[in-house]
Amino acid sequence: MHWERPPPNKIKLNIDGAFLKEKLHAGIGGVFRNSSGKWIMGFTKSCYTTCSLQAGLLALEQGLKLVVDMSFAAIEIESDSTDIIKMLIDENDSTNACLLNCRSLMHRLKSPVIRHNFREGNAVANCLAKEAVKNFKPDKCYHLACPPLFVKAILKKDMQGLCFGIKRLSTNICNSLVT
């Protein structure tokens, strides 16, 4: 339940979305880190959407666009949303334009690995997404060459491989994660 470094010569993208139901405000965030855990770049963006799942898909889409724009070769992706991973795999769902665009971008990138990580291992992306909701400025994506101050403590914990807490999961959730 902590952030794990990608293998050598790979870059890890962690993505997350945050959603404020009352106002239909969303924030998306993501961070690219190398195999030593060092920050390569991050992004944050505020937008309007209808649900938290869509916010997560928008974060994935933005991250994949940056992978293409930055010509990152070997990438792996992590999200704390099992629903997003299921949607990407389920070929029957073809009505969501953002989902279709994510699938297209992933195909273009030769289908990078996307896996689940618990919220504790996705804390930097979560923090970036929450900050985008808090400081709502719709439709402007900020590319972050350096980590903002509000994520530095989380980055330090991740670099040290620290893990806090124990998670108890139901059998249903365990089976869902396995599949």
Side-chain angles (χ1 to χ4, degrees), residues 3-12 33-38 40 159:
W3 185 81
E4 290 187 28
R5 298 168 191 230
N9 302 318
K10 280 212 173 187
I11 294 171
K12 182 173 282 186
R33 290 187 268 182
N34 65 18
S35 60
S36 63
K38 297 210 179 195
I40 297 171
M159 292 281 286

Side-chain angles (χ1 to χ4, degrees), residues 17-18 27-29 44 119 125-135:
I28 64 172
T44 185
R119 179 162 291 159
N126 181 266
C127 193
L128 291 168
K130 284 183 176 180
E131 190 69 19
V133 170
K134 190 168 108 181
N135 296 312

Side-chain angles (χ1 to χ4, degrees), residues 136-175:
F136 194 74
K137 296 174 187 149
D139 299 323
K140 181 164 174 69
C141 187
Y142 296 92
H143 296 179
L144 309 167
C146 300
L149 289 175
F150 60 86
V151 299
K152 287 199 175 195
I154 302 167
L155 283 169
K156 184 176 180 182
K157 177 186 74 80
D158 286 351
M159 292 281 286
Q160 294 170 343
L162 298 177
C163 176
F164 300 105
I166 296 173
K167 258 235 203 269
R168 299 192 191 285
L169 303 172
S170 71
T171 303
N172 290 342
I173 292 175
C174 288
N175 289 336

Side-chain angles (χ1 to χ4, degrees), residues 17-86:
F19 180 63
L20 187 59
K21 185 177 182 179
E22 302 78 42
K23 296 182 178 184
L24 299 180
H25 288 182
I28 64 172
V31 58
F32 294 90
R33 290 187 268 182
N34 65 18
S35 60
S36 63
K38 297 210 179 195
W39 179 283
I40 297 171
M41 75 173 293
F43 66 89
T44 185
K45 181 179 178 181
S46 304
C47 51
Y48 294 100
T49 193
T50 56
C51 65
S52 59
L53 183 60
Q54 186 67 18
L57 280 172
L58 290 166
L60 176 61
E61 181 181 39
Q62 185 64 49
L64 292 170
K65 286 178 180 177
L66 284 170
V67 170
V68 170
D69 290 347
M70 302 299 289
S71 300
F72 291 139
I75 188 97
E76 55 182 50
I77 305 162
E78 283 185 345
S79 170
D80 59 17
S81 171
T82 55
D83 291 333
I84 288 174
I85 297 168
K86 284 180 190 175

